[in-house]
Amino acid sequence: MEAVADPSTLPAPHTPSPPELPLLGSLLPLARDPLGFVVDLARTHGDVVHYRVGPQRFWLVSDPAGIEEVLVGLRAVTHKDEVTHGLSRLLGQGLLTSEDPQWRQHRKLAAPSFQPRHLAGYAEAMVDAALEDPLADGARDVHEDMTRVTMAIVLRTLFGADAADGARVGAALGSFMDAFEQEIRSFRRLLPPRVPTRGRRRIAAARAEIVAAVDPIVARRRALPEPGDDLLGRLLAARDEDGAGMSDAQLRDEAVTLFLAGHETTALTLSYALWLLAAHPEVQDRLAEERATVLGERRAGAGDVGALAWHGAVIREAMRLYPPAWLIGRTPTVDVTVQGHPVPAGGAILVSPWVTHRDPRFWRAPEAFRPERWLGDETRDLPRFAFFPFGGGPRVCIGNHFAQMEAVLVLATWLAQRRVAAVPGATIELMPAVTLRPRHGVRVDVQKIG
């Protein structure tokens, strides 16, 4: 029988590649500056580029047509990438990490909870959390503030009456993300899974804490006559065509996935929005005028999101410039081609919102903060995947409408009592790993109004 070639050793004919070191490949420039590395690859070598990190081979796809081919056209023959599957060490087999047929079943069960009629019911909790955030003057880390606000929102909307018990999950998630990002950004990601590094021990401890915190909540809810009107309650009540619901373990995994996705990415979007606004007081003036016109003295609600057009534009522009999901990966299960370039089964195909959102072929002044680009005709004819902060295709983020409503309502409510200004000399050091985190926070000057 003819031997089957290891996909990691197959060449990539006709696909441009950067100069690479023996054995290491592109490990050093990637580790030194991941964002600069992927941008340079695309700008220098084209829309499909092949590179290597140790024995692992990657194909970066940057053109919207190619991105659509990866996320939509090849959906039946691709799985999530290795890094995303690594999150299963904490999240189990939730929507983010699972594959068909489990993913499809869970998606059907969870989708009704994110329909507009249910989303409107979460708006009150979103506004409450923003109103309750302490007013404090001076230079401060607004990423810390936004994490606190979005954590309060996800606790109320996901766990409801069990929010106090659910708060244990937040500390475990923070510990996990720190350890996981250190693992994937260093040589340790190349070590066999059986090697017990300190980070892997922290990951296992975080998983144990998650199980200890969430399992009693699920069991307690299961025993109630009515499961509740929050997200967890709706997941408990959900049934498929055969009348089957989720097991306790499945509910736990979905709850933890929603908990992580429900506060991490929105906190980042809001933090970067405030960073950008701090340097643009004229945009803050436009937001204040819009609030006065749309809201007057009353609090915002779900029905106001569409009318708060400038606020929505600021959120979209923040996600364009600082997409929380900066890199999305797929692994083909069979040999495929992307824009004519061959990729073997088991290879890693990457698409990067960071790269495409800043591509001058699609964006006027791509590095500039211009929320007004979203309010006229400028972006009307954008290619479909020139802007994809929530991914795309069947596995587009299930909570994208929840997150967009949350971001607009929190921004409008939080800024109704504050202005932000730039802190002289303050910079952001980005830490691109699972999400696009700020390594040392997002520091702006917060000024109370009135």
Side-chain angles (χ1 to χ4, degrees):
M1 178 180 294
E2 183 178 348
V4 177
D6 180 348
S8 68
T9 66
L10 292 175
H14 314 302
T15 303
S17 296
E20 295 184 324
L21 294 173
L23 299 179
L24 295 179
S26 294
L27 177 61
L28 295 183
L30 175 63
R32 193 162 43 239
D33 181 9
L35 297 172
F37 174 75
V38 292
V39 169
D40 184 65
L41 275 185
R43 302 294 185 263
T44 303
H45 300 287
D47 288 327
V48 182
V49 186
H50 167 258
Y51 69 97
R52 182 173 54 82
V53 177
Q56 300 173 317
R57 293 187 177 273
F58 300 87
W59 285 258
L60 177 68
V61 180
S62 304
D63 180 74
I67 294 166
E68 183 169 9
E69 187 175 357
V70 172
L71 298 181
V72 181
L74 296 175
R75 64 188 182 277
V77 292
T78 54
H79 286 168
K80 286 295 188 80
D81 65 298
E82 177 189 0
V83 171
T84 304
H85 279 159
L87 290 170
S88 63
R89 286 183 275 173
L90 179 78
L91 304 179
Q93 294 301 307
L95 281 172
L96 183 61
T97 55
S98 62
E99 302 290 354
D100 278 337
Q102 184 182 31
W103 170 81
R104 193 170 299 277
Q105 179 203 24
H106 285 203
R107 179 89 179 197
K108 286 182 179 179
L109 289 170
S113 299
F114 292 92
Q115 291 176 351
R117 61 191 177 92
H118 291 315
L119 290 181
Y122 306 138
E124 186 174 356
M126 295 171 179
V127 174
D128 283 345
L131 285 171
E132 293 164 7
D133 195 50
L135 279 168
D137 278 328
R140 55 187 297 104
D141 177 9
V142 289
H143 181 236
E144 196 174 279
D145 297 336
M146 293 302 99
T147 298
R148 182 174 55 248
V149 171
T150 58
M151 183 79 75
I153 291 168
V154 76
L155 284 169
R156 294 176 189 184
T157 57
L158 178 59
F159 291 119
D162 297 293
D165 293 327
R168 288 176 60 189
V169 181
L173 282 172
S175 177
F176 168 84
M177 290 296 287
D178 289 342
F180 187 73
E181 290 181 351
Q182 289 174 18
E183 287 279 314
I184 65 173
R185 284 176 56 85
S186 74
F187 72 92
R188 290 186 290 270
R189 70 179 292 176
L190 303 177
L191 296 175
R194 64 180 178 275
V195 177
T197 65
R198 182 176 64 174
R200 290 171 184 179
R201 289 194 294 271
R202 286 179 63 193
I203 288 169
R207 174 66 177 175
E209 177 67 9
I210 290 288
V211 171
V214 178
D215 280 7
I217 297 175
V218 172
R220 186 162 61 244
R221 289 292 192 90
R222 186 83 78 179
L224 294 175
E226 296 292 334
D229 196 33
D230 49 31
L231 281 169
L232 180 59
R234 292 198 176 98
L235 290 176
L236 275 161
R239 294 291 182 271
D240 61 19
E241 296 87 345
D242 299 324
M246 296 185 193
S247 68
D248 286 357
Q250 291 169 335
L251 280 164
R252 177 221 304 138
D253 291 349
E254 295 303 350
V256 176
T257 297
L258 292 174
F259 192 103
L260 175 64
H263 86 277
E264 168 86 5
T265 56
T266 308
L268 290 171
T269 294
L270 285 162
S271 302
Y272 294 134
L274 292 171
W275 168 261
L276 293 163
L277 288 170
H280 292 84
E282 76 285 357
V283 179
Q284 290 188 69
D285 293 340
R286 296 298 300 263
L287 296 182
E289 293 170 6
E290 183 173 80
R291 288 193 300 273
T293 300
V294 175
L295 301 175
E297 296 299 318
R298 65 177 176 83
R299 57 187 279 160
D304 298 312
V305 172
L308 293 169
W310 266 94
H311 289 74
V314 166
I315 294 301
R316 285 192 292 276
E317 187 72 343
M319 289 191 293
R320 184 186 70 83
L321 286 168
Y322 296 99
W326 71 283
L327 195 67
I328 299 168
R330 294 289 187 270
T331 299
T333 57
V334 299
D335 293 351
V336 299
T337 61
V338 179
Q339 299 291 284
H341 296 267
V343 180
I349 307 173
L350 305 175
V351 297
S352 174
W354 175 273
V355 172
T356 306
H357 288 185
R358 292 169 177 256
D359 192 322
R361 292 177 297 174
F362 314 116
W363 304 95
R364 175 183 161 196
E367 302 292 330
F369 173 63
R370 296 180 55 250
E372 62 270 20
R373 76 173 79 239
W374 299 100
L375 299 175
D377 295 335
E378 186 176 330
T379 56
R380 180 171 297 173
D381 297 323
L382 274 178
R384 181 181 176 191
F385 280 88
F387 182 67
F388 60 115
F390 296 101
R395 297 200 70 145
V396 66
C397 174
I398 195 172
N400 62 344
H401 297 300
F402 180 106
Q404 290 177 84
M405 179 176 77
E406 177 184 11
V408 169
L409 291 178
V410 169
L411 186 69
T413 303
W414 202 83
L415 283 179
Q417 300 175 290
R418 306 165 178 86
R419 282 185 70 92
V420 290
V423 174
T427 59
I428 291 182
E429 182 182 349
L430 297 173
M431 185 172 66
V434 178
T435 55
L436 188 63
R437 285 181 157 192
R439 186 182 298 279
H440 303 298
V442 178
R443 196 164 178 81
V444 303
D445 186 29
V446 179
Q447 305 158 356
K448 287 188 285 188
I449 296 175

